């Protein structure tokens, strides 16, 4: 994949993550605030101030996630972003991370509305 293709795909993925979290917030299922600056998406869980950072790394062609539970790298495999260590899919991992950091009921972060 070219750098331009990666950047376009990473941007659309960050947009999808932000839209999914905004939907959960609007539905009162999750109390989060997202802010975006270029290739960095910051997700703040408002009740406890914890944050998750998702950003693209063009040189590595990866998306990186920093959360309380650790740092994770995702590479595109077919039509999915998968963890370079254990193969977990990005949106599944974000669901688990959001559930843990929100301290509430299970959260499903979905790429599709």
């Amino acid at each position: 994949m070219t750098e331009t293709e990666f950047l376009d795909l990473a941007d659309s993925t960050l947009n999808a993550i932000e839209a999914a979290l905004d939907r959960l917030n609007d539905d009162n299922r999750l109390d989060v605030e997202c802010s975006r600056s270029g290739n960095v998406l910051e997700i703040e869980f408002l009740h406890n101030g914890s944050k998750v950072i998702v950003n693209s790394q063009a040189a590595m062609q990866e998306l990186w996630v920093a959360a309380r539970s650790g740092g994770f790298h995702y590479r595109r495999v077919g039509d999915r972003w998968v963890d370079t260590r254990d193969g977990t899919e990005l949106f599944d991992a974000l669901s688990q991370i959001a559930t843990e950091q929100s301290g509430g009921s299970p959260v499903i972060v979905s790429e599709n509305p």
Side-chain angles (χ1 to χ4, degrees):
M1 155 178 359
T2 69
E3 184 173 338
T4 300
E5 290 169 331
F6 169 80
L7 291 172
D8 289 344
L9 184 57
D11 186 59
S12 68
T13 302
L14 292 174
N15 287 337
I17 294 167
E18 185 173 12
L21 292 168
D22 284 345
R23 282 191 303 275
L24 290 167
N25 189 63
D26 292 346
D27 293 343
N28 295 315
R29 297 186 57 220
L30 191 61
D31 194 15
V32 296
E33 184 173 295
C34 296
S35 60
R36 177 96 179 264
S37 178
N39 69 333
V40 179
L41 174 62
E42 182 177 293
I43 305 157
E44 182 176 4
F45 295 84
L46 298 176
H47 76 287
N48 63 15
S50 70
K51 294 181 181 181
V52 172
I53 308 296
V54 183
N55 67 304
S56 64
Q57 296 292 323
M60 302 294 295
Q61 292 201 344
E62 294 178 348
L63 290 180
W64 290 2
V65 176
R68 280 183 174 171
S69 55
F72 308 93
H73 298 186
Y74 295 86
R75 182 165 284 155
R76 194 71 174 184
V77 176
D79 63 350
R80 301 175 40 196
W81 291 99
V82 296
D83 187 297
T84 58
R85 285 186 236 158
D86 68 8
T88 303
E89 193 276 328
L90 174 64
F91 283 87
D92 291 342
L94 287 173
S95 296
Q96 180 65 35
I97 290 167
T99 297
E100 290 171 3
Q101 286 195 219
S102 70
S105 53
V107 174
I108 305 297
V109 180
S110 173
E111 188 171 8
N112 302 313

